[in-house]
Amino acid sequence: MTDSTDWRVTISLGSQENVEQARQSFSEQEVEQDVRDRLGRNIVVGAGDSQIFLYAGTEVAAREAERTAREVLGQLGIEAEFALERWHPIEEEWQSPDVAMPQTEAERQAEHQRLEAAETVESIDFGSARWQARAELPSHREAVALADKLQGEGYPVVRRWKFLIVGANDDDDARALAEHIRQEAPAGAEVIAEPAGVRLPFIPF
């Protein structure tokens, strides 16, 4: 029920005024499209009272997302602090990527197989999917469990931290899939059907 392929960029904004300015700026259509194009499909973005979070599946994707976010906020004149973190599956907390992961050879082989499977799933899913069902789970552990369950049913699932994305052919398929996920998901999960692409769960566009 753990996964060491979660990466997060935490963007800490200096003041509430900057938070509101960033939210308003990200909601503008031209910035939205730019962020979508440059971050790519497989980055999930969340936000808190004074922070913005970019969730990625690899270190490379996370660092590219950080670079893009720095440029976008820099153009807006918004100062921010950035931190790159990796989810530690043993400690179950976010830690610096410099912290060594205690792994046996068997664990390294299992991780490699998981990465290969995830990359294959994402290639198939987002190579053609135009719609998707997206779920936000109450916890990381519940997201991993639901992803495993859906994958066992044959669905190509992309998971980023507490978010799950499953591709669909069209709006009707996405709505039907979202309803199925709601029935499988634990209490407190939020599930919606939407066009495929980068989504900001807490920043309305």
Side-chain angles (χ1 to χ4, degrees):
M1 296 273 294
T2 59
D3 194 331
S4 60
T5 62
D6 285 296
W7 291 79
R8 181 178 76 175
V9 177
T10 300
I11 306 172
S12 299
L13 301 167
S15 67
Q16 188 62 38
E17 180 181 355
N18 283 344
V19 173
E20 295 303 322
Q21 182 183 0
R23 292 188 180 191
Q24 292 174 8
S25 298
F26 280 137
S27 69
E28 296 174 1
Q29 179 64 36
E30 61 271 19
V31 176
E32 173 191 353
Q33 188 60 50
D34 180 57
V35 171
R36 286 173 184 269
D37 291 343
R38 296 164 66 189
L39 285 183
R41 290 183 180 272
N42 296 333
I43 301 295
V44 173
V45 186
D49 292 336
S50 62
Q51 295 175 311
I52 294 174
F53 304 101
L54 309 179
Y55 297 101
T58 67
E59 180 179 3
V60 172
R63 291 189 183 278
E64 179 62 20
E66 177 183 352
R67 186 188 66 79
T68 297
R70 285 181 182 274
E71 291 181 3
V72 171
L73 293 181
Q75 291 170 0
L76 298 172
I78 298 177
E79 295 184 358
E81 295 182 358
F82 293 78
L84 178 66
E85 300 170 300
R86 177 174 58 177
W87 178 254
H88 195 299
I90 307 301
E91 300 295 334
E92 294 195 339
E93 64 182 9
W94 292 103
Q95 295 188 352
S96 166
D98 296 331
V99 176
M101 294 284 185
Q103 295 178 334
T104 65
E105 181 61 29
E107 289 172 334
R108 285 195 292 270
Q109 289 296 327
E111 180 182 9
H112 176 73
Q113 292 175 2
R114 286 195 300 269
L115 287 172
E116 290 293 313
E119 290 173 355
T120 299
V121 165
E122 292 185 18
S123 296
I124 294 173
D125 183 23
F126 287 102
S128 59
R130 302 300 298 274
W131 284 78
Q132 64 190 28
R134 176 170 58 82
E136 180 185 351
L137 281 296
S139 71
H140 174 265
R141 184 175 294 273
E142 289 171 311
V144 173
L146 181 56
D148 288 345
K149 186 174 185 180
L150 292 173
Q151 287 172 343
E153 296 174 358
Y155 293 102
V157 181
V158 174
R159 186 184 59 76
R160 294 291 179 265
W161 183 226
K162 298 189 297 181
F163 304 96
L164 304 184
I165 298 173
V166 185
N169 293 325
D170 53 39
D171 186 9
D172 289 341
D173 285 349
R175 292 177 185 275
L177 180 57
E179 181 58 32
H180 175 70
I181 294 175
R182 289 189 189 99
Q183 295 175 4
E184 300 278 359
E190 297 183 8
V191 186
I192 64 172
E194 62 187 6
V198 175
R199 292 293 163 194
L200 307 191
F202 307 110
I203 303 179
F205 278 151

